[in-house]
Amino acid sequence: QVQLVESGGGLVQAGDSLRLSCAASGNTLQTYAMAWFRQAPGSEREFLAGVYWSSGGTYYADSVKGRFTISRDNAKNTAYLQMNNLKAEDTAVYYCAADATRWRATLRADFGSWGQGTQVTVSS
């Protein structure tokens, strides 16, 4: 199991940027891919972006492609989500996920470890 702690959320204005961080600890050797999801009240958890730990290769949901960038720092056991040009509809709790072994994993059930979430609120 991998323990994940997100940070970097907050209240911003539309058009602003934020960088979320996800610090991993525990059995990080099992990590194949790490991803970011978000969930707004009353909505299903939505996949945003994924990164393969070894190669750094990335994949994105169409809804955020071009605005959000996922990356990882292997030495720090940390993944990041750079979010630019934020919109009011981006308001949600953002979650980091790990312990996926499938290629291009995008489903909640694909990931075995989750962080506690960090709130991002975008005001217009």
Side-chain angles (χ1 to χ4, degrees), residues 23-110:
S25 61
N27 193 7
T28 58
L29 294 178
Q30 294 183 354
T31 299
Y32 171 66
M34 191 171 293
W36 287 94
F37 288 70
R38 68 185 179 191
Q39 188 166 18
S43 300
E44 296 183 352
R45 194 163 296 189
E46 175 190 14
F47 168 80
L48 300 174
V51 60
Y52 299 105
W53 200 251
S54 293
S55 69
T58 60
Y59 53 100
Y60 296 89
D62 289 340
S63 60
V64 302
K65 190 176 299 182
R67 291 195 301 125
F68 291 8
T69 303
I70 189 171
S71 62
R72 90 281 186 265
D73 187 330
N74 289 16
K76 296 181 178 180
N77 290 321
T78 301
Y80 304 94
L81 185 69
Q82 178 68 44
M83 304 185 294
N84 297 328
N85 191 26
L86 284 163
K87 306 173 182 179
E89 50 263 45
D90 294 320
T91 296
V93 177
Y94 284 69
Y95 296 91
C96 181
D99 291 337
T101 58
R102 287 170 51 89
W103 175 80
R104 200 176 174 85
T106 60
L107 305 177
R108 183 172 181 172
D110 289 331

Side-chain angles (χ1 to χ4, degrees), residues 16-27:
D16 286 353
S17 298
L18 277 177
R19 189 178 75 161
L20 306 182
S21 298
C22 176
S25 61
N27 193 7

